[in-house]
């Protein structure tokens, strides 16, 4: 890797101490271990999984068996209690060359299981969190609906109170892991009005103990521009009974859960985008160096483009690690996390696009990994809250 070019934020300058907090030497060792695993076990299959529009569940289970799914969660639940390690994992996973694979594993470990940990009862930890950390049950988070994305308070999927639980009717759109999931952490309306005070979360079993699709649930894959290896689905619920004990967190208190969850999701998306840009930049620099060795030194324009991408990567990393440090310290960091997401997502997509252009300008065949990154990174300014929504949040933090 071109480590001489790419100083990691948190790793210090060439002359300074390394690594800088929150990273420790143990995290650098973990990074090397994950990088080797990604290179040997995931990257060789990335193209085939993209082509197949899915990766095997076994990849997620292997990830869990190695302890990577559980990095963030407490030891008593079978995790490692190492949120910084989970951040390192998010960056390194992006180097597989398949954004869809990272999305699938990330949706399970980074957005669907955390609310089960934070808001779940001991019984729910036993039935959902622990098997999730072990990779035995795969999770999805279901908030978005066919008619509602950014405005999460406007969801329509309804959970009617009945004896012993709820009956759910409605649909969830663009759900990552939607077909493969064993359970969906699902946002539902529990009052007729819904809105900020009328949303709750249910742990919805989408498969029975035999692995068969539960009656009252249907999941259909959705074709999309990027994240090809990710299983994205439209899930419908038709008079689905969900028992009382599967209410996650407080009745009508689901909006808080959504807000709490966003911080980690946005940090993970920022780290993933940085990991992807790093890979794309390395491959572009390697291509230009190989041409220079062959006597075709890149022109000034190409060198400047590379310099700008490297700077985008370094600034995004500095801001993201700053937000991560605040988050880990328990500080109010809505503003910094929002800025990190806003600063990294479109910038990562544009950086990858520049690198793709450099391959074309050089007259080289497009690097399939760079092409894939461009497709995959287009999701960044949309998922986990769009760029416009990030700007709205920042405006509010400034009293506007
Ligand atoms: C591949 C993929 C995977 C996904 N995975 C999941 C998942 O696992 N679980 C899940 O719940 N969701 C998931 N999503 C959904 C994702 O979170 C939403 O797409 C996103 O929140 C935006 O919602 P929307 O697509 O309905 O767009 P809309 O909310 O309809 O927005 C359309 C446009 O209007 C703009 N806009 C909206 N509101 C405002 C405003 N107030 N001010 C200014 N502009 C505004 C938006 O920025 C956007 O440009 C996924 C989406 C994709 C594409």
């Amino acid at each position: 890797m071109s480590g001489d070019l790419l100083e990691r934020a948190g790793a210090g300058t060439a002359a300074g101490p390394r690594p800088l907090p929150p990273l420790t030497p143990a995290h650098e060792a973990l990074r090397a271990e994950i990088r080797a695993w990604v290179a040997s076990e995931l990257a060789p299959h990335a193209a085939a999984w993209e082509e197949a529009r899915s990766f095997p569940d076994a990849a997620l289970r292997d990830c869990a068996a190695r302890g990577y799914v559980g990095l963030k969660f407490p030891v008593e639940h079978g995790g490692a209690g190492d949120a910084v390690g989970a951040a390192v994992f998010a960056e390194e996973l992006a180097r597989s060359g398949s954004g869809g694979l990272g999305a699938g594993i990330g949706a399970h470990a980074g957005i669907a299981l955390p609310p089960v940990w934070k808001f779940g009862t001991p019984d729910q930890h036993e039935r959902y969190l622990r098997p999730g950390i072990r990779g035995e049950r795969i999770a999805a988070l279901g908030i978005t609906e066919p008619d509602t994305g950014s405005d999460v308070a406007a969801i329509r999927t309804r959970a009617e109170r009945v004896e012993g639980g709820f009956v759910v009717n409605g649909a969830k759109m663009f759900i990552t892991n939607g077909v493969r999931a064993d359970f969906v952490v699902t946002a539902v309306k529990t009052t007729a009005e819904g809105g900020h005070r009328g949303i709750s979360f249910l742990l919805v079993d989408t498969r029975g103990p035999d692995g068969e699709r539960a009656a009252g649930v249907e999941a259909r894959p959705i074709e999309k521009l990027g994240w090809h290896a990710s299983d994205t689905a439209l899930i419908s619920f038709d008079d689905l009974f969900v028992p009382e004990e599967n209410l996650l967190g407080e009745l009508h208190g689901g909006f808080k859960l959504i807000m709490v969850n966003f911080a980690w999701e946005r940090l993970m998306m920022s780290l993933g985008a940085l990991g992807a840009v790093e890979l794309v930049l390395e491959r572009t620099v390697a291509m230009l160096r190989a041409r220079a060795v062959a006597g075709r030194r890149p022109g000034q324009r190409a060198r400047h483009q590379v310099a700008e991408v490297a700077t985008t990567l370094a600034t995004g990393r500095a801001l993201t690690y700053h937000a991560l440090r605040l988050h880990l310290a328990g500080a109010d960091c809505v503003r910094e996390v929002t800025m990190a997401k806003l600063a990294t997502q479109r910038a990562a997509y544009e950086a990858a696009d520049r690198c793709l252009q450099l391959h074309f300008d050089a007259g080289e065949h497009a690097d399939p990994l760079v092409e894939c990154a461009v497709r995959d990174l287009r999701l960044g300014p949309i998922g986990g809250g769009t760029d416009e929504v990030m700007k709205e949040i920042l405006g509010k933090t400034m009293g506007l």
Side-chain angles (χ1 to χ4, degrees):
M1 108 168 216
S2 50
D4 52 332
L5 276 177
L6 310 174
E7 279 300 325
R8 289 179 175 283
T13 61
R18 51 174 66 222
L20 286 181
L23 299 167
T24 64
H27 290 120
E28 291 309 289
L30 176 69
R31 187 185 293 284
E33 177 195 306
I34 298 172
R35 186 169 291 199
W37 171 70
V38 168
S40 67
E41 304 302 318
L42 303 182
H45 307 290
W49 293 342
E50 286 283 304
E51 183 73 25
R53 297 296 191 264
S54 186
F55 63 86
D57 289 354
L60 194 150
R61 298 199 204 289
D62 182 26
C63 182
R66 289 165 190 274
Y68 302 150
V69 168
L71 278 166
K72 175 184 164 63
F73 304 103
V75 175
E76 66 261 31
H77 294 312
D82 180 8
V84 178
V88 167
F89 176 65
E91 259 185 300
E92 292 302 319
L93 187 59
R95 298 176 61 91
S96 76
S98 164
L101 173 70
I105 294 174
H108 172 73
I111 68 167
L113 290 184
V116 185
W117 163 43
K118 288 262 180 199
F119 296 89
T121 61
D123 166 60
Q124 290 169 347
H125 289 158
E126 200 54 48
R127 289 189 294 133
Y128 295 96
L129 179 60
R130 284 167 164 274
I133 290 173
R134 291 194 298 266
E136 292 162 10
R137 301 194 77 190
I138 298 178
L141 179 73
I143 298 176
T144 307
E145 300 189 351
D147 298 315
T148 314
S150 301
D151 185 7
V152 288
I155 60 160
R156 289 199 212 155
T157 295
R158 181 85 167 102
E160 298 275 358
R161 271 278 192 194
V162 293
E163 167 116 28
F166 303 86
V167 170
V168 179
N169 281 287
K172 295 290 169 183
M173 183 69 161
F174 295 131
I175 305 307
T176 305
N177 292 339
V179 176
R180 78 173 80 229
D182 298 295
F183 66 97
V184 181
V185 181
T186 309
V188 291
K189 236 169 66 157
T190 37
T191 63
E193 304 77 37
H196 297 88
R197 292 196 189 82
I199 293 175
S200 308
F201 269 84
L202 296 177
L203 292 165
V204 174
D205 290 312
T206 44
R207 295 183 182 283
D210 53 1
E212 290 300 308
R213 173 74 62 221
V217 179
E218 215 186 286
R220 273 190 281 135
I222 298 170
E223 188 60 28
K224 53 213 183 294
L225 170 74
W227 282 19
H228 285 167
S230 174
D231 143 35
T232 311
L234 169 63
I235 307 179
S236 322
F237 305 116
D238 183 13
D239 282 338
L240 177 72
F241 177 74
V242 178
E244 181 82 42
E245 60 268 25
N246 280 23
L247 172 68
L248 179 67
E250 281 175 29
L251 186 67
H252 312 319
F255 199 75
K256 181 176 152 210
L257 185 153
I258 296 174
M259 293 302 124
V260 169
N261 214 36
F262 269 145
W264 188 251
E265 176 176 10
R266 288 171 185 165
L267 283 168
M268 292 302 98
M269 285 190 70
S270 302
L271 289 160
L274 294 168
V277 171
E278 182 178 67
L279 177 71
V280 162
L281 179 57
E282 283 170 18
R283 294 183 74 91
T284 306
V285 169
M287 177 274 291
L288 292 171
R289 278 184 177 168
R291 288 172 59 82
V293 168
R296 285 167 295 169
R297 186 167 184 256
Q300 189 185 63
R301 189 178 163 278
R303 295 199 309 275
H304 287 194
Q305 293 276 322
V306 165
E308 285 181 20
V309 171
T311 305
T312 297
L313 177 59
T315 51
R317 197 167 252 151
L319 181 53
T320 301
Y321 270 87
H322 173 57
L324 178 67
R325 272 184 213 101
L326 291 173
H327 180 75
L328 296 175
D332 176 3
C333 54
V334 170
R335 190 164 157 159
E336 289 76 7
V337 169
T338 306
M339 284 179 173
K341 169 126 192 331
L342 180 62
T344 50
Q345 302 304 305
R346 184 162 289 280
Y349 165 66
E350 287 173 358
D353 188 44
R354 280 181 175 206
C355 289
L356 183 65
Q357 188 66 45
L358 284 170
H359 281 80
F360 295 145
D361 291 349
E364 298 286 333
H365 286 300
D367 179 334
L369 280 191
V370 178
E371 280 186 328
C372 186
V374 175
R375 285 197 304 272
D376 291 343
L377 287 166
R378 185 61 185 87
L379 188 274
I382 302 169
T386 67
D387 278 5
E388 289 74 21
V389 170
M390 295 305 103
K391 291 176 204 173
E392 285 296 306
I393 294 171
L394 288 171
K396 281 190 190 133
T397 68
M398 292 179 271
L400 300 174

